[in-house]
Amino acid sequence: MGSRNLLKVVAQNFDVLAGPLVTLAYPLYASIKAIESKSHVDDQQWLTYWVLYSLITLFELTFAKVIEWFPIWPYAKLIATCWLVLPYFNGAAYVYEHYVRPCFKNAQTVNIWYIPRKKDIFSKPDDILTAAEKYIEENGPEAFEKLISKTNKESKSRRNSDYMIFDEDDHYNSYNSNNFFHQRIYQSYT
C-alpha cells in the first residue's frame, strides 16, 4: 500500500520532480561538458538554451498571475524544455538557427531617439560659425581649408550668376555666390 501511494504522489507531481532535473540538473552537467570540449556546436546549444531558459523564467515571473489560470502550463513548460534540452531534438540550436541568428545576422538598427526637425517658421538651423566649428572639430583644420579652397574655385565660376537651391519642402531659395560657401559648410556638416 505504501509503494502504491508513493507512485501516486510521484505521478501527480511529475512536473515538480522532473522539472528541476530537465531544466537545471542536466543542462548544468551538459554545459560543463561543453565548456571542457573543443567543439563550438555544443557551446552554441547550451548558451542558447540558457538564454531561452532565462526568457521563459522572466515570462513566468512577469505573468505569474495569468499563468495560474492555466493548469496545463507546468506540463507545457516541461515538454518545451525537454524539446530544448534533449540531444535528439536539439531544440535550442534549432531556435538559434531559425530565429535568433537571423535577427543578428541581418541586424537592422532602429533609432528610437529620432527627433524630427521642426518645420515651422521660427526654427532656424545652426548658424554658420557653429557649423564651421563643428566641421573643424570633426574633420580637422586641413579638411576645412580644402573645403574653403574648393568652394572659392566653384564660386569664381559662378560669380556672375545666381542659382536656386530646393529645400525639403520643394520651396526654392535664390542664393548668390557668397551664400554658396555658407550653404556648403552647413550641408557638409549635416
Side-chain angles (χ1 to χ4, degrees):
M1 195 73 138
S3 62
R4 187 178 223 187
N5 287 337
L6 178 64
L7 289 175
K8 185 177 179 182
V9 169
V10 169
Q12 288 175 342
N13 296 310
F14 179 74
D15 61 311
V16 175
L17 298 171
L21 289 174
V22 172
T23 60
L24 295 172
Y26 177 71
L28 284 171
Y29 170 74
S31 296
I32 292 169
K33 281 183 60 176
I35 290 169
E36 297 300 323
S37 75
K38 294 183 183 194
S39 173
H40 294 292
V41 176
D42 55 359
D43 295 346
Q44 177 183 340
Q45 160 73 18
W46 294 110
L47 283 171
T48 306
Y49 169 76
W50 288 113
V51 168
L52 295 173
Y53 178 75
S54 299
L55 290 173
I56 291 169
T57 304
L58 285 173
F59 175 79
E60 283 184 317
L61 292 172
T62 305
F63 298 105
K65 296 291 183 188
V66 177
I67 291 172
E68 288 175 2
W69 293 357
F70 299 102
I72 197 167
W73 170 254
Y75 302 105
K77 179 185 171 189
L78 183 62
I79 291 170
T81 306
C82 286
W83 181 75
L84 291 173
V85 167
L86 294 176
Y88 179 77
F89 298 111
N90 269 347
Y94 178 84
V95 170
Y96 175 80
E97 284 295 324
H98 291 88
Y99 299 104
V100 177
R101 189 169 190 235
C103 290
F104 284 99
K105 196 161 188 175
N106 302 327
Q108 297 178 359
T109 58
V110 176
N111 185 0
I112 61 171
W113 299 108
Y114 173 73
I115 301 171
R117 252 183 22 180
K118 294 180 181 176
K119 296 269 185 178
D120 61 2
I121 58 173
F122 298 112
S123 66
K124 65 176 187 174
D126 290 339
D127 64 343
I128 188 62
L129 294 176
T130 306
E133 288 172 356
K134 289 180 181 177
Y135 185 85
I136 291 170
E137 188 177 298
E138 290 178 3
N139 301 305
E142 296 83 17
F144 184 70
E145 289 175 9
K146 286 181 185 178
L147 181 65
I148 291 173
S149 65
K150 183 178 179 182
T151 304
N152 285 336
K153 289 177 188 175
E154 290 177 3
S155 67
K156 285 180 185 177
S157 66
R158 299 180 189 183
R159 183 161 292 180
N160 294 329
S161 64
D162 289 342
Y163 58 96
M164 295 180 181
I165 295 178
F166 288 85
D167 64 9
E168 294 172 350
D169 297 329
D170 291 333
H171 296 93
Y172 68 93
N173 297 316
S174 180
Y175 288 91
N176 61 26
S177 59
N178 283 337
N179 287 339
F180 177 74
F181 171 74
H182 301 284
Q183 187 70 19
R184 182 69 178 240
I185 291 176
Y186 185 73
Q187 286 177 345
S188 67
Y189 172 70
T190 57

